[in-house]
């Protein structure tokens, strides 16, 4: 499975934290992996093996652990935007990109930005891709 596909699985799982409490999330993740293994018509069309699943779950746990810091960074760069006003799809994509930029030494900031834009184009709108690129681009200038 490619890094992009892993990131896409991470996006789909992370998106769920906006709609489920912690008690429900474990079940949601199990359902997600069961469905991705059984459903050959999923958008990604690739099920995660155990090693990839562990990597996705580990990154998800790290994002949740650092969510306040990640959201603070997004708020710092999303001038005139309250984080609660950012659409959930865009917020999830930004969270992944900021996580990769701050906490994943294997992902250069430019790659995190590019991958975030790709996700936005696939799951949202061209305007969202521009919005995300603008916020993350400010991070690049400050780093």
């Amino acid at each position: 499975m490619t890094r992009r596909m892993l990131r896409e699985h991470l996006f789909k799982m992370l998106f769920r934290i906006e709609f489920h409490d912690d008690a429900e999330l474990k079940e949601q993740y199990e359902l997600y992996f069961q469905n991705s293994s059984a459903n050959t018509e999923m958008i990604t069309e690739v099920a995660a093996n155990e090693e990839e699943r562990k990597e996705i779950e580990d990154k998800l746990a790290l994002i949740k652990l650092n969510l306040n810091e990640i959201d603070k960074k997004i708020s710092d760069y999303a001038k005139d935007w309250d984080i609660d006003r950012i659409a959930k799809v865009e917020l999830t994509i930004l969270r992944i990109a900021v996580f990769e930029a701050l906490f994943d030494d294997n992902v250069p900031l430019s790659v995190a930005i590019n991958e975030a834009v790709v996700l936005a184009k696939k799951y949202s709108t061209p305007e969202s891709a521009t919005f995300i690129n603008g916020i993350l681009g400010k991070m690049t200038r400050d780093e």
Side-chain angles (χ1 to χ4, degrees):
M1 179 178 301
T2 66
R3 306 294 316 152
R4 182 169 285 169
M5 288 176 170
L6 283 170
R7 192 175 283 108
E8 192 168 333
H9 281 296
L10 180 61
F11 163 74
K12 291 174 183 177
M13 291 178 67
L14 184 61
F15 186 74
R16 294 168 189 238
I17 71 168
E18 295 297 323
F19 305 100
H20 300 282
D21 61 34
D22 282 341
E24 296 174 311
L25 281 175
K26 184 164 179 58
E27 181 181 0
Q28 284 295 312
Y29 299 154
E30 287 299 320
L31 287 171
Y32 175 81
F33 282 119
Q34 286 174 5
N35 288 336
S36 67
S37 296
N39 187 350
T40 58
E41 294 183 20
M42 281 189 64
I43 294 171
T44 58
E45 297 180 358
V46 177
N49 65 34
E50 285 304 312
E51 182 180 323
E52 293 161 340
R53 179 178 171 163
K54 178 164 177 18
E55 182 178 354
I56 293 165
E57 289 174 341
D58 289 348
K59 285 187 178 192
L60 187 60
L62 285 171
I63 291 171
K64 287 175 60 182
L65 181 67
N66 294 288
L67 197 56
N68 289 337
E69 186 176 346
I70 291 167
D71 285 354
K72 168 90 170 77
K73 190 67 119 170
I74 293 168
S75 291
D76 290 347
Y77 288 100
K79 299 292 184 207
D80 301 322
W81 279 87
D82 185 277
I83 200 160
D84 293 331
R85 285 187 52 223
I86 299 174
K88 301 303 182 202
V89 169
E90 288 78 10
L91 181 58
T92 302
I93 293 168
L94 284 166
R95 285 174 169 165
I96 292 169
V98 171
F99 163 77
E100 289 179 335
L102 296 179
F103 300 101
D104 192 336
D105 295 335
N106 297 319
V107 181
L109 180 57
S110 61
V111 172
I113 293 170
N114 183 63
E115 292 297 318
V117 169
V118 168
L119 277 173
K121 286 179 180 177
K122 185 169 186 176
Y123 290 100
S124 196
T125 66
E127 293 81 15
S128 294
T130 302
F131 173 72
I132 287 169
N133 190 49
I135 291 173
L136 297 174
K138 291 176 187 175
M139 281 181 61
T140 304
R141 288 190 292 275
D142 288 353
E143 298 295 314

